[in-house]
Amino acid sequence: MPQLYTKNGRPLQRDGNRLFAGSGTYLGTVQGRYVFDTSGQYADTIDGDRVVYRAIDSARISIPTISGPRVGLAMVTALPAAILGEEPSFPN
């Protein structure tokens, strides 16, 4: 499973279908190429190793989820990517 980053290069942690910020904050679940927040609402789309918000995908919904936080990791940020979509509104 490849390392994931936001559009602007902030590192994310993925554990199976659960997605966490670099600090360890639980963000939501990954289903296919889509990320859903803890309330089950569309949050973002995975494009390669980047996670971006795309309004065209925003009508998707899933079920609410909950998970405890993880230990934050010291990870290097990546260079910003020139791809379609906006930077996710995830916490650091």
Tab-separated table of all heavy atoms in Angstrom, residues 6-47:
chain	number	residue	atom	x	y	z
A	6	THR	N	-1.619	14.586	0.812
A	6	THR	CA	-2.635	15.508	0.309
A	6	THR	C	-2.085	16.155	-0.960
A	6	THR	O	-0.913	15.984	-1.298
A	6	THR	CB	-2.971	16.602	1.335
A	6	THR	OG1	-1.820	17.427	1.512
A	6	THR	CG2	-3.441	16.019	2.652
A	7	LYS	N	-2.905	16.926	-1.640
A	7	LYS	CA	-2.476	17.584	-2.874
A	7	LYS	C	-1.235	18.439	-2.651
A	7	LYS	O	-0.332	18.480	-3.485
A	7	LYS	CB	-3.610	18.439	-3.443
A	7	LYS	CG	-3.221	19.135	-4.731
A	7	LYS	CD	-4.349	19.922	-5.316
A	7	LYS	CE	-3.883	20.606	-6.597
A	7	LYS	NZ	-4.974	21.258	-7.278
A	8	ASN	N	-1.169	19.126	-1.508
A	8	ASN	CA	-0.029	19.999	-1.223
A	8	ASN	C	1.137	19.279	-0.564
A	8	ASN	O	2.108	19.909	-0.173
A	8	ASN	CB	-0.463	21.184	-0.362
A	8	ASN	CG	-1.304	22.163	-1.142
A	8	ASN	OD1	-1.283	22.180	-2.372
A	8	ASN	ND2	-2.076	22.976	-0.445
A	9	GLY	N	1.045	17.955	-0.402
A	9	GLY	CA	2.171	17.170	0.076
A	9	GLY	C	2.178	16.784	1.537
A	9	GLY	O	3.155	16.205	2.015
A	10	ARG	N	1.106	17.084	2.295
A	10	ARG	CA	1.074	16.662	3.700
A	10	ARG	C	0.925	15.147	3.768
A	10	ARG	O	0.057	14.583	3.097
A	10	ARG	CB	-0.080	17.320	4.452
A	10	ARG	CG	0.126	18.798	4.670
A	10	ARG	CD	-0.942	19.390	5.553
A	10	ARG	NE	-2.235	19.272	4.894
A	10	ARG	CZ	-3.404	19.171	5.523
A	10	ARG	NH1	-3.454	19.150	6.839
A	10	ARG	NH2	-4.524	19.087	4.860
A	11	PRO	N	1.730	14.450	4.572
A	11	PRO	CA	1.652	12.991	4.648
A	11	PRO	C	0.420	12.530	5.431
A	11	PRO	O	-0.014	13.172	6.382
A	11	PRO	CB	2.933	12.591	5.370
A	11	PRO	CG	3.330	13.800	6.139
A	11	PRO	CD	2.819	14.989	5.377
A	12	LEU	N	-0.148	11.411	5.005
A	12	LEU	CA	-1.272	10.772	5.678
A	12	LEU	C	-0.863	9.350	6.039
A	12	LEU	O	0.022	8.772	5.418
A	12	LEU	CB	-2.494	10.741	4.760
A	12	LEU	CG	-3.002	12.094	4.271
A	12	LEU	CD1	-4.057	11.902	3.191
A	12	LEU	CD2	-3.547	12.908	5.424
A	13	GLN	N	-1.532	8.765	7.041
A	13	GLN	CA	-1.279	7.388	7.432
A	13	GLN	C	-2.487	6.545	7.039
A	13	GLN	O	-3.614	6.918	7.319
A	13	GLN	CB	-1.099	7.269	8.947
A	13	GLN	CG	0.054	8.043	9.515
A	13	GLN	CD	0.147	7.816	11.011
A	13	GLN	OE1	0.188	6.687	11.480
A	13	GLN	NE2	0.155	8.904	11.766
A	14	ARG	N	-2.233	5.401	6.418
A	14	ARG	CA	-3.324	4.499	6.047
A	14	ARG	C	-3.105	3.162	6.723
A	14	ARG	O	-2.012	2.603	6.698
A	14	ARG	CB	-3.370	4.325	4.540
A	14	ARG	CG	-4.536	3.483	4.091
A	14	ARG	CD	-4.657	3.468	2.596
A	14	ARG	NE	-5.739	2.585	2.196
A	14	ARG	CZ	-6.079	2.366	0.952
A	14	ARG	NH1	-5.439	2.979	-0.028
A	14	ARG	NH2	-7.065	1.556	0.664
A	15	ASP	N	-4.149	2.648	7.368
A	15	ASP	CA	-4.103	1.346	8.020
A	15	ASP	C	-5.302	0.561	7.512
A	15	ASP	O	-6.418	0.733	7.996
A	15	ASP	CB	-4.153	1.513	9.534
A	15	ASP	CG	-4.109	0.184	10.266
A	15	ASP	OD1	-3.700	-0.827	9.659
A	15	ASP	OD2	-4.481	0.154	11.453
A	16	GLY	N	-5.085	-0.268	6.495
A	16	GLY	CA	-6.189	-0.985	5.872
A	16	GLY	C	-7.116	0.006	5.196
A	16	GLY	O	-6.705	0.743	4.308
A	17	ASN	N	-8.381	0.048	5.657
A	17	ASN	CA	-9.323	0.998	5.057
A	17	ASN	C	-9.517	2.241	5.931
A	17	ASN	O	-10.391	3.050	5.659
A	17	ASN	CB	-10.668	0.317	4.787
A	17	ASN	CG	-11.406	-0.053	6.057
A	17	ASN	OD1	-10.815	-0.162	7.131
A	17	ASN	ND2	-12.698	-0.257	5.951
A	18	ARG	N	-8.708	2.399	6.973
A	18	ARG	CA	-8.802	3.581	7.835
A	18	ARG	C	-7.722	4.585	7.454
A	18	ARG	O	-6.601	4.214	7.167
A	18	ARG	CB	-8.659	3.193	9.307
A	18	ARG	CG	-9.769	2.259	9.767
A	18	ARG	CD	-9.630	1.860	11.205
A	18	ARG	NE	-8.305	1.266	11.442
A	18	ARG	CZ	-7.754	1.175	12.650
A	18	ARG	NH1	-8.372	1.614	13.708
A	18	ARG	NH2	-6.564	0.620	12.780
A	19	LEU	N	-8.074	5.878	7.474
A	19	LEU	CA	-7.139	6.935	7.105
A	19	LEU	C	-6.947	7.884	8.277
A	19	LEU	O	-7.916	8.291	8.920
A	19	LEU	CB	-7.665	7.700	5.886
A	19	LEU	CG	-6.710	8.696	5.253
A	19	LEU	CD1	-5.497	7.967	4.659
A	19	LEU	CD2	-7.412	9.487	4.167
A	20	PHE	N	-5.679	8.222	8.540
A	20	PHE	CA	-5.309	9.083	9.654
A	20	PHE	C	-4.441	10.228	9.147
A	20	PHE	O	-3.707	10.078	8.169
A	20	PHE	CB	-4.506	8.302	10.698
A	20	PHE	CG	-5.254	7.161	11.313
A	20	PHE	CD1	-5.292	5.926	10.700
A	20	PHE	CD2	-5.922	7.312	12.518
A	20	PHE	CE1	-5.974	4.857	11.254
A	20	PHE	CE2	-6.608	6.256	13.087
A	20	PHE	CZ	-6.641	5.026	12.450
A	21	ALA	N	-4.519	11.375	9.818
A	21	ALA	CA	-3.614	12.488	9.522
A	21	ALA	C	-2.218	12.083	9.980
A	21	ALA	O	-2.047	11.126	10.732
A	21	ALA	CB	-4.079	13.747	10.250
A	22	GLY	N	-1.213	12.814	9.563
A	22	GLY	CA	0.152	12.539	9.996
A	22	GLY	C	0.299	12.586	11.505
A	22	GLY	O	1.118	11.883	12.084
A	23	SER	N	-0.532	13.400	12.170
A	23	SER	CA	-0.494	13.520	13.631
A	23	SER	C	-1.157	12.346	14.335
A	23	SER	O	-1.052	12.204	15.548
A	23	SER	CB	-1.201	14.806	14.052
A	23	SER	OG	-2.577	14.736	13.708
A	24	GLY	N	-1.889	11.504	13.587
A	24	GLY	CA	-2.575	10.360	14.173
A	24	GLY	C	-4.070	10.552	14.338
A	24	GLY	O	-4.773	9.640	14.762
A	25	THR	N	-4.608	11.714	14.009
A	25	THR	CA	-6.049	11.975	14.108
A	25	THR	C	-6.800	11.136	13.075
A	25	THR	O	-6.431	11.109	11.912
A	25	THR	CB	-6.345	13.468	13.851
A	25	THR	OG1	-5.589	14.248	14.762
A	25	THR	CG2	-7.823	13.773	13.998
A	26	TYR	N	-7.862	10.454	13.516
A	26	TYR	CA	-8.664	9.629	12.607
A	26	TYR	C	-9.454	10.531	11.669
A	26	TYR	O	-10.149	11.443	12.092
A	26	TYR	CB	-9.611	8.744	13.414
A	26	TYR	CG	-10.513	7.876	12.574
A	26	TYR	CD1	-9.988	6.902	11.736
A	26	TYR	CD2	-11.892	8.034	12.614
A	26	TYR	CE1	-10.802	6.105	10.964
A	26	TYR	CE2	-12.716	7.228	11.851
A	26	TYR	CZ	-12.169	6.267	11.034
A	26	TYR	OH	-12.987	5.469	10.265
A	27	LEU	N	-9.330	10.268	10.358
A	27	LEU	CA	-10.002	11.092	9.353
A	27	LEU	C	-11.226	10.421	8.753
A	27	LEU	O	-12.179	11.090	8.387
A	27	LEU	CB	-9.022	11.439	8.228
A	27	LEU	CG	-7.770	12.195	8.646
A	27	LEU	CD1	-6.828	12.340	7.465
A	27	LEU	CD2	-8.131	13.539	9.239
A	28	GLY	N	-11.205	9.111	8.603
A	28	GLY	CA	-12.323	8.408	8.000
A	28	GLY	C	-11.884	7.113	7.353
A	28	GLY	O	-10.817	6.580	7.653
A	29	THR	N	-12.718	6.610	6.431
A	29	THR	CA	-12.444	5.328	5.789
A	29	THR	C	-12.197	5.498	4.301
A	29	THR	O	-12.680	6.429	3.671
A	29	THR	CB	-13.615	4.343	5.967
A	29	THR	OG1	-14.783	4.922	5.398
A	29	THR	CG2	-13.864	4.021	7.417
A	30	VAL	N	-11.446	4.547	3.765
A	30	VAL	CA	-11.173	4.489	2.335
A	30	VAL	C	-12.025	3.375	1.757
A	30	VAL	O	-12.008	2.249	2.251
A	30	VAL	CB	-9.682	4.202	2.069
A	30	VAL	CG1	-9.427	4.032	0.582
A	30	VAL	CG2	-8.814	5.298	2.652
A	31	GLN	N	-12.801	3.696	0.731
A	31	GLN	CA	-13.609	2.705	0.021
A	31	GLN	C	-13.315	2.872	-1.460
A	31	GLN	O	-13.759	3.831	-2.078
A	31	GLN	CB	-15.090	2.893	0.313
A	31	GLN	CG	-15.445	2.625	1.753
A	31	GLN	CD	-16.923	2.809	2.023
A	31	GLN	OE1	-17.739	2.933	1.121
A	31	GLN	NE2	-17.275	2.843	3.290
A	32	GLY	N	-12.529	1.933	-1.990
A	32	GLY	CA	-12.097	2.061	-3.376
A	32	GLY	C	-11.168	3.240	-3.505
A	32	GLY	O	-10.154	3.324	-2.820
A	33	ARG	N	-11.526	4.202	-4.349
A	33	ARG	CA	-10.689	5.403	-4.496
A	33	ARG	C	-11.273	6.621	-3.809
A	33	ARG	O	-10.881	7.751	-4.062
A	33	ARG	CB	-10.413	5.714	-5.961
A	33	ARG	CG	-11.535	5.411	-6.906
A	33	ARG	CD	-11.234	5.846	-8.287
A	33	ARG	NE	-11.699	7.238	-8.382
A	33	ARG	CZ	-11.660	7.975	-9.452
A	33	ARG	NH1	-11.151	7.508	-10.541
A	33	ARG	NH2	-12.119	9.200	-9.459
A	34	TYR	N	-12.241	6.402	-2.917
A	34	TYR	CA	-12.887	7.518	-2.223
A	34	TYR	C	-12.630	7.451	-0.726
A	34	TYR	O	-12.551	6.379	-0.138
A	34	TYR	CB	-14.394	7.512	-2.485
A	34	TYR	CG	-14.703	7.584	-3.956
A	34	TYR	CD1	-15.124	6.466	-4.653
A	34	TYR	CD2	-14.521	8.768	-4.664
A	34	TYR	CE1	-15.372	6.521	-6.016
A	34	TYR	CE2	-14.771	8.837	-6.023
A	34	TYR	CZ	-15.188	7.708	-6.693
A	34	TYR	OH	-15.420	7.771	-8.041
A	35	VAL	N	-12.549	8.626	-0.103
A	35	VAL	CA	-12.387	8.746	1.342
A	35	VAL	C	-13.670	9.348	1.891
A	35	VAL	O	-14.176	10.345	1.369
A	35	VAL	CB	-11.189	9.659	1.702
A	35	VAL	CG1	-11.078	9.814	3.212
A	35	VAL	CG2	-9.900	9.118	1.108
A	36	PHE	N	-14.211	8.720	2.934
A	36	PHE	CA	-15.421	9.210	3.597
A	36	PHE	C	-15.063	9.597	5.026
A	36	PHE	O	-14.343	8.873	5.704
A	36	PHE	CB	-16.511	8.135	3.592
A	36	PHE	CG	-16.960	7.783	2.204
A	36	PHE	CD1	-16.372	6.739	1.508
A	36	PHE	CD2	-17.952	8.511	1.580
A	36	PHE	CE1	-16.768	6.420	0.224
A	36	PHE	CE2	-18.357	8.207	0.290
A	36	PHE	CZ	-17.753	7.155	-0.394
A	37	ASP	N	-15.561	10.757	5.478
A	37	ASP	CA	-15.244	11.218	6.829
A	37	ASP	C	-15.985	10.392	7.868
A	37	ASP	O	-16.706	9.449	7.542
A	37	ASP	CB	-15.508	12.719	6.971
A	37	ASP	CG	-16.975	13.100	6.866
A	37	ASP	OD1	-17.864	12.224	6.955
A	37	ASP	OD2	-17.252	14.307	6.682
A	38	THR	N	-15.829	10.746	9.137
A	38	THR	CA	-16.412	9.954	10.218
A	38	THR	C	-17.935	9.949	10.214
A	38	THR	O	-18.554	9.043	10.758
A	38	THR	CB	-15.914	10.467	11.581
A	38	THR	OG1	-16.246	11.855	11.702
A	38	THR	CG2	-14.412	10.290	11.707
A	39	SER	N	-18.561	10.942	9.576
A	39	SER	CA	-20.023	10.978	9.504
A	39	SER	C	-20.560	10.232	8.284
A	39	SER	O	-21.761	10.149	8.080
A	39	SER	CB	-20.524	12.426	9.481
A	39	SER	OG	-20.140	13.057	8.281
A	40	GLY	N	-19.668	9.703	7.438
A	40	GLY	CA	-20.089	8.961	6.255
A	40	GLY	C	-20.226	9.821	5.009
A	40	GLY	O	-20.609	9.332	3.958
A	41	GLN	N	-19.897	11.096	5.104
A	41	GLN	CA	-19.976	11.997	3.955
A	41	GLN	C	-18.695	11.906	3.133
A	41	GLN	O	-17.613	11.675	3.669
A	41	GLN	CB	-20.172	13.440	4.416
A	41	GLN	CG	-21.445	13.679	5.187
A	41	GLN	CD	-22.673	13.435	4.324
A	41	GLN	OE1	-22.758	13.897	3.206
A	41	GLN	NE2	-23.610	12.680	4.843
A	42	TYR	N	-18.809	12.115	1.829
A	42	TYR	CA	-17.639	12.150	0.958
A	42	TYR	C	-16.667	13.192	1.479
A	42	TYR	O	-17.049	14.308	1.820
A	42	TYR	CB	-18.054	12.500	-0.476
A	42	TYR	CG	-16.892	12.885	-1.360
A	42	TYR	CD1	-16.125	11.905	-1.975
A	42	TYR	CD2	-16.548	14.216	-1.559
A	42	TYR	CE1	-15.037	12.252	-2.774
A	42	TYR	CE2	-15.472	14.569	-2.355
A	42	TYR	CZ	-14.720	13.582	-2.959
A	42	TYR	OH	-13.645	13.923	-3.737
A	43	ALA	N	-15.395	12.834	1.546
A	43	ALA	CA	-14.367	13.782	1.972
A	43	ALA	C	-13.406	14.084	0.830
A	43	ALA	O	-13.106	15.241	0.571
A	43	ALA	CB	-13.606	13.254	3.183
A	44	ASP	N	-12.917	13.031	0.164
A	44	ASP	CA	-11.901	13.231	-0.862
A	44	ASP	C	-11.816	12.034	-1.801
A	44	ASP	O	-12.404	10.987	-1.550
A	44	ASP	CB	-10.529	13.452	-0.213
A	44	ASP	CG	-10.531	14.694	0.640
A	44	ASP	OD1	-10.596	15.790	0.075
A	44	ASP	OD2	-10.495	14.562	1.871
A	45	THR	N	-11.031	12.213	-2.869
A	45	THR	CA	-10.778	11.178	-3.872
A	45	THR	C	-9.287	10.872	-3.883
A	45	THR	O	-8.473	11.789	-3.794
A	45	THR	CB	-11.211	11.666	-5.267
A	45	THR	OG1	-12.612	11.973	-5.231
A	45	THR	CG2	-10.959	10.619	-6.333
A	46	ILE	N	-8.936	9.603	-3.994
A	46	ILE	CA	-7.532	9.206	-4.098
A	46	ILE	C	-7.166	9.161	-5.574
A	46	ILE	O	-7.819	8.494	-6.369
A	46	ILE	CB	-7.295	7.837	-3.434
A	46	ILE	CG1	-7.627	7.917	-1.942
A	46	ILE	CG2	-5.854	7.374	-3.655
A	46	ILE	CD1	-7.570	6.594	-1.219
A	47	ASP	N	-6.109	9.887	-5.920
A	47	ASP	CA	-5.608	9.937	-7.298
A	47	ASP	C	-4.121	9.597	-7.238
A	47	ASP	O	-3.299	10.451	-6.909
A	47	ASP	CB	-5.834	11.320	-7.896
A	47	ASP	CG	-5.469	11.393	-9.374
A	47	ASP	OD1	-4.856	10.440	-9.890
A	47	ASP	OD2	-5.797	12.406	-10.006
